[in-house]
Amino acid sequence: PGSAPPPPPLIAPNFTADGSVLQYARPRMRVADGSPGFAGSYDEEYLGGNRFKRSFYAFSSAGPGSNGQFQVTMGDVNTPVDTLADANAAFTTTTRAAAFVKVVVRTADLYTDAATLSVHYHLLDPNGNPQVTTVAPVLRFYHPALNVTRESSCTQRELSSGGGNCLDTVPADWFDANGAVEATVVVAVPGAVSSSVYVQIMQKPVHTELSSPGMFVQMVESPRYPDDVFTISVYANTAGNSLSTWSCQLEWSTNVLSYDNKFTMSSLYNTPTVTSTSNSITMTVTGESSGTSPEAITGSKLLLTTFRFRVKSAAAAGTFLGALNARALTMVNKGSLEYVSKKSAQMNDGQGGAQTAGRVVVAKPTVRGLFSYGKTHELYNTAYLNGIASTTTITTKAVFSRPSQADQVITSSTACSLPLSSATVARVSGCVLTLDATHTEGGQIAVTTSYSGFTSSLDFKIWFPKVVRVYAQDDTLNLVTSGPTDFTGFKNPRACTSQMFQWTELMAIATFGGVGLVNVPDVEVTRLVQFGSTNISNVFIDSNFAYGRKAVKSFPRAYDLNYIEYEPAAQVYVSSGHASLKLIGLDITVKDGPQDIVMVESLEIAVVTNVSFTQEGNPAADSHAEFPVIAELGQYWGGEFAAGYVFGLAKMSDGTYMAVSPLNGLQIEITLPNTLEIKGTGQYPPLTVQVPYNGEDGSGDMIRAAWKSCGVVVKAGVGTVTVALPPAVAVTVIPDNAIITRVGDPASAAPINKPTKGIITVKLFFADGTTKDMTADDRAVFTLVGGEDLGLLEGYNIRAKTTNAGVPGKLTVNVTFPSYRRAAHLSGIAVIDITVFKALTTRAVSFPYSPNRAVVADLRRIQCTMASWQRATGQAFATLTDSTKEYDVSGHTTFSSSNTNIIYVEGSASNSRFVVANSGAATVTAAWAAVTATTPLTASNERVYVTVVTPQTVWSSAAASTFQGFNSDRVTIAARLTFSDKTVFPNALANDISDYLPVQQYLGFTSSTPTVISVAADGIATLLQNYHNYVDVTTSSTCPDGSVPASQLVSGVEAVSANLNAPLGDVDLGFATGLQYGGGVSTGESISVQVRINSQTANLLAFQIRLAFDAEVFEATACSQGSDWKAAWGCTLNDPVDRILVVGSSKASTARGAAVLVATFTLRVKAAFSAARLSPISGDIEAMTRGDAVE
């Protein structure tokens, strides 16, 4: 370690006797480990009272927007009081305004059909950090020929990277047909503007106008990327003719384009017929739509249709002539005159002129530039102090030419480098910038990032510890004695075999700088380093405290034998630093001569319970910006077990101060044990006191302290404490069960389950906003003050007495706190009701339950049956004394009959059924929770008849009135029956009714077309085939013995559509639900017929379907591709006139399912079909291939 003249003297704390109980606390303010910034002054400034101030610097070490926390440590063992700090301890380093703007143009060439300018920007603050103050950049786009500047706002930048995007769509009048224009672009923020970059506004192509009738196609003019989707438009020049019927064909190069199976039609025309292959599509339109005038379909630029194409993902980059061609197959006017036939269409692409082969330019996305950034661009090389390297990762992103492509992180593929001249400052490896002990200076460096021929440069400031000085509160450590005549002194409290000398706190103060950087002086780095002593026998180091052990003397002066001169006992230095660290150590002198002894003038005691911080805003992420922080120590006791730290400070006769803890012999006792107590043994730091259980207020010198060394008292002192505990201001007393019952009472049985006891919860609310649960606290006294003869209180548990013979009433509990001083003035009341069983009632209700005749006393015969009576269900209800509420206990009740030869019980509890064996009378008994109730019930020979039949069959899940399914599928009919006594069967065919009352005994079923839907006597309907009309399914009441006239029997009818599903490998025609071809059409009208294939769980790859119809009834007019089939497809009409052929094929098809819609064809009705022509439309699958190789 080097040596130097003594540092300037430190100013001792100027404690003012202002009455503060914490004025001698001596806090050390710092930033917590892992936080940015450093303390930047030698010592705290005492502001009076309990307030201390210190300045901080160098918050740039972690970059803008970083979080940290201020901290206070105290005493000779640096006790942190973090656990007592309030929220004001936290801080976030502020961002600064952007000082630099970098831009990368994504779209360097703009076209009439790709006119959106896309620019990436990157904002940096003065230090190169990407975290900047929120700002909305402005894009300025200048057209030199027009002398016009456009301005537009950009998106907000990404917070971590500082990157964002700007977009602007160029107006059409910026494109010039005579040539390209080079425009300039800048991005600006307040205080910074980017360099100008150039953009080409490409020449506007001019296309030749058609001079004769025909078609032309508006193509794409700009380059397109793989997977780009674009739309082309087909126009016609009718040359004065009307255009009523037309057909066009498009062909494309399959290695460049694919048809996206999307087109839109002009509303002027009827629905087209479209056929397509893998490289062509043909569209034919016959006639204009209703209401279209001849003038509307006449013109030189008549829009016919648009098609959507996609650039194949595997398309190579290049220019492809003939990538898309078109022909006008026919153009016919309203007079049926064809005036164009098989004529090539003009392709208006980026070439201009009159082209017959459409050009498509395919481009690959390319990197247009890079932007790189680090989390922070100012780093401190603290490795020279403690050997721990400092690092930051450099992130690089690539900006691509394709506007829709997001910036891509390419850090792992990026080369990062530093010039050789920076090797002494830092190194970069794998794009991680590292500062370690091998680097010997600081300075400004530039890291270059490279990728795909592009480079980017990042500036960093590296701060290096140019010099570190060791400071101490006291660099002369004298022998501590009891008085001026005591030359022996006290024993060392840590080792009674040696003498006690003074000790002092050490600090390490560094100056950071570098080549080209302005020094940052007076930065405290104590928390980063370790201290050492050149002679531990003379000066011992413990953490950042130096202890005197032995004096080193020179001879007394000849003219004054009492005066002794001393040599430095040892030099204190930073032991954890690099061997080449420029260090100014501190010479410590230890003295023990008669003229040099010191006495302890006083022992001051401070008790700290909390600390709060005052900050003005947040610190700037800048090395030189000073940020003052005020720490205010507090002494506030919130309640029981609230804790505080006890610190001793010895004032010495030489004007210095020494922190004293149990480590160096401090012992305390409490004079008011009801107010404070020592937490733990008190023999080890941190010395902690707390408010005891049931603690009381108190104030004064209640801490008696003694600084002892080897059994001898060095000095006594007192600590002033004021404990003013916040009083309780309110209490709540809440029973968890407001109503209870006695043990064994029916009210406690299921399903009522009234509790038989309750817990009374007590909570106190204090003046400081805190709360305390007092339920189980022995200071809460529970007293039963009402209902003593009914209930029993056991602590905070309440219950009805076992001797209570079913008497209801109220229990009143009073809660007080006579021994709890803070709440002795409060009390609370809880009221608990005791309820008991009152009565049980029972009744028989109709089964199934009928609201119009709920309660029954007489069960009657049903219709004409000889031995089938109505049934009933038992119900039981209990009431309690606390309300009129009836509790349904049927589910826990046992029902029985007094005469099972007349009426017996089937089932149990809520499912009990009263079943008639013979006519007569019986009594039904309900038993629940050891209590019973009865009700009379008779079985008579009086009959009830069906008066209303309401069919309500759900024929399929697809549609309630459509019997949809495969051949021989079955459905059970559902029918609601209303009887003459107002009872109702919700569904007579439900199992719970039909199991005991078969429908054959009183119901019948018929079908109007049994060859389509047949119905059996048990009400089961079977689907046999499709049908063009509704089938009437009738449910009727019957009387097999003929005792009821037919005129009094009733029936209900439901109209059902029969619609078969196609089995695997078959085709289904028409609507999926309802009638197969709808409700019927008139002559001259049209019907649309859907074509669906059942491929089940395998992909449908290919199919060929031949459809047939009666040509005397129908005429085929149109055919369109189904929405479920996206691949190659074709449809042929009227070849011959009673046939339609539909084909499709694709090995990549993913279409699958039981009803894949592949086509819809339109038939015009020439003559109405009848039952004689039951289904005049049919279809056969001539070929079908599935992905599981099934054909």
Side-chain angles (χ1 to χ4, degrees):
S3 61
L10 299 180
I11 302 174
N14 181 20
F15 294 131
T16 304
D18 57 1
S20 168
V21 297
L22 297 175
Q23 60 181 322
Y24 298 105
R26 293 287 302 273
R28 177 65 65 207
M29 298 169 63
R30 49 174 282 184
V31 293
D33 290 342
S35 299
F38 297 91
S41 55
Y42 297 132
D43 211 340
E44 287 71 15
E45 177 187 355
Y46 179 59
L47 302 180
N50 310 325
R51 301 168 70 242
F52 301 83
K53 178 180 179 181
R54 195 173 193 188
S55 292
F56 291 83
Y57 298 90
F59 288 97
S60 58
S61 58
S66 299
N67 297 323
Q69 188 159 343
F70 293 112
Q71 185 183 59
V72 163
T73 62
M74 299 176 67
D76 54 2
V77 290
N78 296 311
T79 299
V81 291
D82 302 41
T83 55
L84 305 177
D86 66 3
N88 290 332
F91 64 86
T92 301
T93 56
T94 59
T95 55
R96 288 184 292 178
F100 304 101
V101 184
K102 298 181 179 181
V103 296
V104 176
V105 177
R106 297 179 186 275
T107 53
D109 299 325
L110 301 179
Y111 299 83
T112 54
D113 65 340
T116 299
L117 172 67
S118 177
V119 176
H120 168 89
Y121 70 84
H122 190 207
L123 303 181
L124 302 172
D125 74 2
N127 290 330
N129 294 301
Q131 306 92 347
V132 298
T133 305
T134 300
V135 65
V138 174
L139 173 70
R140 297 195 182 111
F141 194 5
Y142 176 65
H143 192 299
L146 300 177
N147 193 25
V148 174
T149 299
R150 291 173 55 83
E151 284 197 1
S152 57
S153 296
C154 305
T155 61
Q156 286 289 349
R157 85 277 185 261
E158 186 184 48
L159 293 178
S160 61
S161 70
N165 294 296
C166 305
L167 298 175
D168 187 23
T169 300
V170 177
D173 60 3
W174 276 35
F175 292 93
D176 193 335
N178 297 319
V181 176
E182 189 174 65
T184 58
V185 173
V186 297
V187 175
V189 295
V193 180
S194 72
S195 300
S196 295
V197 291
Y198 296 95
V199 175
Q200 290 289 327
I201 301 177
M202 305 304 288
Q203 181 177 359
K204 177 182 179 181
V206 179
H207 304 109
T208 304
E209 293 186 2
L210 290 181
S211 59
S212 61
M215 296 184 184
F216 63 93
V217 177
Q218 184 59 54
M219 287 276 293
V220 290
E221 300 172 355
S222 59
R224 299 294 156 140
Y225 296 100
D227 284 322
D228 271 1
V229 174
F230 62 88
T231 300
I232 62 101
S233 300
V234 181
Y235 295 87
N237 177 13
T238 66
N241 296 285
S242 63
L243 182 58
S244 179
T245 297
W246 55 269
S247 179
C248 69
Q249 185 181 61
L250 276 69
E251 295 179 333
W252 56 87
S253 174
T254 56
N255 65 327
V256 179
L257 300 177
S258 63
Y259 175 50
D260 214 34
N261 291 303
K262 297 290 183 182
F263 67 87
T264 58
M265 273 299 299
S266 167
S267 61
L268 300 174
Y269 292 98
N270 290 329
T271 303
T273 299
V274 179
T275 60
S276 63
T277 66
S278 61
N279 71 331
S280 70
I281 185 169
T282 301
M283 177 178 285
T284 302
V285 172
T286 303
E288 61 274 18
S289 58
S290 176
T292 300
S293 65
E295 292 79 13
I297 53 176
T298 304
S300 60
K301 191 176 182 181
L302 179 63
L303 177 63
L304 303 179
T305 184
T306 65
F307 295 94
R308 196 168 84 176
F309 286 87
R310 182 183 299 271
V311 180
K312 284 197 168 180
S313 59
T319 300
F320 298 92
L321 291 174
L324 181 64
N325 303 316
R327 289 191 302 163
L329 298 180
T330 186
M331 294 174 64
V332 181
N333 66 14
K334 286 185 67 65
S336 300
L337 173 66
E338 182 181 44
Y339 56 91
V340 171
S341 176
K342 297 181 180 178
K343 179 180 180 181
S344 294
Q346 177 174 307
M347 309 302 290
N348 291 348
D349 56 21
Q351 302 174 87
Q355 310 294 330
T356 57
R359 184 190 74 174
V360 174
V361 179
V362 178
K364 293 287 187 178
T366 58
V367 176
R368 295 286 300 153
L370 311 177
F371 68 101
S372 304
Y373 57 93
K375 185 178 180 181
T376 178
H377 285 245
E378 287 194 72
L379 287 89
Y380 282 72
N381 188 343
T382 55
Y384 235 60
L385 302 175
N386 57 14
I388 301 174
S390 300
T391 62
T392 189
T393 298
I394 298 170
T395 301
T396 299
K397 291 185 177 181
V399 180
F400 290 88
S401 57
R402 191 174 196 168
S404 61
Q405 186 168 347
D407 300 336
Q408 181 179 342
V409 176
I410 55 169
T411 304
S412 60
S413 303
T414 302
C416 296
S417 60
L418 275 170
L420 289 175
S421 58
S422 300
T424 57
V425 179
R427 74 171 184 273
V428 63
S429 175
C431 288
V432 175
L433 185 66
T434 300
L435 318 177
D436 59 28
T438 66
H439 302 116
T440 57
E441 63 179 345
Q444 301 188 63
I445 61 173
V447 176
T448 300
T449 58
S450 304
Y451 175 81
S452 189
F454 291 90
T455 61
S456 180
S457 180
L458 293 84
D459 294 329
F460 290 88
K461 292 180 180 179
I462 308 300
W463 300 92
F464 184 81
K466 300 176 71 173
V467 63
V468 178
R469 295 177 175 84
V470 177
Y471 286 164
Q473 292 290 330
D474 184 5
D475 59 1
T476 299
L477 305 181
N478 299 316
L479 181 68
V480 180
T481 70
S482 60
T485 60
D486 178 8
F487 303 119
T488 302
F490 296 103
K491 295 295 184 181
N492 184 342
R494 295 191 178 188
C496 295
T497 57
S498 60
Q499 294 174 300
M500 181 198 299
F501 290 88
Q502 290 175 294
W503 55 82
T504 187
E505 181 182 0
L506 302 174
M507 287 190 292
I509 306 296
T511 296
F512 283 90
V515 178
L517 301 178
V518 178
N519 288 346
V520 182
D522 301 335
V523 176
E524 188 198 338
V525 293
T526 306
R527 64 189 176 96
L528 299 179
V529 304
Q530 296 178 6
F531 295 96
S533 169
T534 57
N535 191 327
I536 60 174
S537 297
N538 298 337
V539 177
F540 175 73
I541 304 298
D542 185 0
S543 184
N544 64 316
F545 283 83
Y547 291 82
R549 280 192 170 181
K550 182 179 179 182
V552 178
K553 307 172 185 177
S554 46
F555 292 104
R557 295 178 182 177
Y559 56 86
D560 187 356
L561 296 179
N562 291 324
Y563 187 88
I564 301 174
E565 290 187 352
Y566 297 87
E567 296 178 0
Q571 187 176 89
V572 177
Y573 61 95
V574 174
S575 62
S576 59
H578 190 273
S580 300
L581 175 66
K582 186 177 181 180
L583 174 67
I584 300 177
L586 178 65
D587 290 336
I588 300 292
T589 302
V590 180
K591 297 183 178 182
D592 60 358
Q595 304 294 328
D596 304 305
I597 60 175
V598 295
M599 286 74 69
V600 181
E601 291 189 350
S602 63
L603 176 64
E604 308 293 347
I605 300 297
V607 182
V608 180
T609 64
N610 63 289
V611 58
S612 62
F613 294 90
T614 301
Q615 313 170 39
E616 293 185 4
N618 279 300
D622 186 272
S623 292
H624 293 89
E626 179 182 2
F627 188 72
V629 178
I630 296 173
E632 183 170 0
L633 305 181
Q635 193 184 100
Y636 174 76
W637 309 90
E640 294 168 341
F641 310 115
Y645 294 135
V646 179
F647 300 100
L649 191 67
K651 182 179 181 182
M652 311 305 291
S653 59
D654 62 353
T656 61
Y657 291 84
M658 291 167 51
V660 184
S661 73
L663 182 70
N664 288 308
L666 182 65
Q667 298 178 14
I668 64 170
E669 60 180 16
I670 306 298
T671 60
L672 295 177
N674 292 335
T675 302
L676 283 181
E677 65 182 2
I678 299 173
K679 184 177 181 181
T681 65
Q683 297 179 5
Y684 304 98
L687 186 54
T688 309
V689 294
Q690 66 182 13
V691 177
Y693 175 75
N694 209 22
E696 300 177 354
D697 289 352
S699 181
D701 298 336
M702 65 179 70
I703 295 180
R704 186 177 298 147
W707 177 11
K708 292 184 178 181
S709 177
C710 303
V712 177
V713 175
V714 178
K715 197 68 176 179
V718 295
T720 302
V721 178
T722 298
V723 177
L725 302 175
V729 294
V731 60
T732 57
V733 181
I734 301 173
D736 63 341
N737 296 312
I739 301 176
I740 62 174
T741 190
R742 64 190 179 97
V743 175
D745 193 275
S748 66
I752 301 178
N753 295 321
K754 287 295 183 184
T756 58
K757 64 179 180 179
I759 296 175
I760 301 173
T761 300
V762 180
K763 182 180 286 188
L764 285 175
F765 298 81
F766 295 91
D768 62 349
T770 59
T771 61
K772 183 176 179 63
D773 188 340
M774 297 293 293
T775 305
D777 195 300
D778 59 9
R779 291 168 295 183
V781 177
F782 297 80
T783 306
L784 185 61
V785 296
E788 295 90 334
D789 55 335
L790 303 176
L792 184 65
L793 186 63
E794 298 167 326
Y796 49 83
N797 295 293
I798 187 77
R799 64 177 176 83
K801 284 184 176 180
T802 55
T803 57
N804 186 328
V807 179
K810 293 184 181 295
L811 304 178
T812 303
V813 177
N814 184 40
V815 180
T816 58
F817 314 92
S819 63
Y820 191 11
R821 183 192 56 79
R822 299 169 66 195
H825 57 291
L826 295 177
S827 64
I829 293 291
V831 177
I832 301 95
D833 281 333
I834 294 180
T835 187
V836 296
F837 170 75
K838 183 178 181 181
L840 180 70
T841 58
T842 187
R843 64 191 183 189
V845 296
S846 54
F847 174 78
Y849 180 76
S850 302
N852 292 330
R853 190 169 183 260
V855 179
V856 296
D858 182 29
L859 302 178
R860 302 167 186 174
R861 290 183 185 271
I862 298 174
Q863 195 81 351
C864 304
T865 60
M866 295 302 295
S868 296
W869 273 267
Q870 294 172 313
R871 292 189 173 189
T873 297
Q875 288 185 342
F877 296 90
T879 55
L880 308 182
T881 56
D882 63 293
S883 71
T884 59
K885 177 182 177 180
E886 287 189 325
Y887 294 89
D888 186 349
V889 297
S890 307
H892 298 266
T893 299
T894 300
F895 296 92
S896 61
S897 170
S898 63
N899 190 341
T900 56
N901 292 324
I902 303 298
I903 297 174
Y904 61 93
V905 181
E906 283 186 353
S908 61
S910 297
N911 293 317
S912 296
R913 302 288 182 263
F914 301 156
V915 182
V916 177
N918 292 288
S919 58
T923 299
V924 175
T925 299
W928 167 78
V931 293
T932 60
T934 62
T935 186
L937 190 61
T938 62
S940 70
N941 289 317
E942 183 181 348
R943 297 179 182 273
V944 294
Y945 297 96
V946 178
T947 58
V948 179
V949 176
T950 307
Q952 50 188 24
T953 310
V954 177
W955 291 94
S956 70
S957 59
S961 61
T962 299
F963 197 168
Q964 183 192 53
F966 297 100
N967 185 278
S968 299
D969 277 359
R970 295 182 175 186
V971 168
T972 299
I973 290 173
R976 175 186 172 91
L977 305 182
T978 303
F979 291 88
S980 53
D981 66 345
K982 297 183 181 181
T983 56
V984 174
F985 284 0
N987 181 9
L989 287 84
N991 290 337
D992 58 351
I993 298 176
S994 62
D995 284 350
Y996 80 88
L997 183 61
V999 294
Q1000 297 92 327
Q1001 293 187 15
Y1002 67 113
L1003 294 178
F1005 308 93
T1006 59
S1007 168
S1008 63
T1009 314
T1011 57
V1012 177
I1013 299 175
S1014 65
V1015 187
D1018 58 358
I1020 296 178
T1022 303
L1023 178 63
L1024 300 176
Q1025 60 177 307
N1026 283 320
Y1027 196 53
H1028 71 281
N1029 211 340
Y1030 292 105
V1031 176
D1032 289 338
V1033 177
T1034 303
T1035 301
S1036 307
S1037 65
T1038 63
C1039 194
D1041 64 0
S1043 61
V1044 178
S1047 61
Q1048 296 182 17
L1049 299 176
V1050 294
S1051 63
V1053 180
E1054 47 191 329
V1056 184
S1057 304
N1059 203 320
L1060 281 173
N1061 289 332
L1064 174 63
D1066 203 354
V1067 63
D1068 185 27
L1069 303 179
F1071 295 110
T1073 60
L1075 297 178
Q1076 185 179 14
Y1077 302 116
V1081 289
S1082 302
T1083 302
E1085 295 182 342
S1086 295
I1087 62 173
S1088 293
V1089 180
Q1090 297 178 343
V1091 182
R1092 292 178 296 276
I1093 294 175
N1094 184 353
S1095 69
Q1096 289 192 353
T1097 58
N1099 293 339
L1100 177 63
L1101 303 183
F1103 56 86
Q1104 181 171 309
I1105 306 170
R1106 194 171 300 277
L1107 306 163
F1109 54 88
D1110 189 338
E1112 295 182 9
V1113 177
F1114 295 116
E1115 175 189 13
T1117 61
C1119 185
S1120 61
Q1121 188 169 347
S1123 59
D1124 293 337
W1125 182 256
K1126 310 294 185 182
W1129 178 87
C1131 182
T1132 302
L1133 303 179
N1134 301 318
D1135 187 17
V1137 294
D1138 62 345
R1139 295 288 188 272
I1140 298 174
L1141 179 65
V1142 180
V1143 297
S1145 176
S1146 172
K1147 292 182 179 180
S1149 169
T1150 58
R1152 64 167 61 188
V1156 179
L1157 180 62
V1158 298
T1160 300
F1161 61 90
T1162 303
L1163 300 177
R1164 188 178 65 84
V1165 180
K1166 298 165 64 178
F1169 59 88
S1170 63
R1173 292 188 174 102
L1174 182 61
S1175 183
I1177 307 170
S1178 63
D1180 292 318
I1181 293 188
E1182 297 179 343
M1184 183 185 84
T1185 303
R1186 302 195 307 162
D1188 55 1
V1190 173
E1191 182 172 353

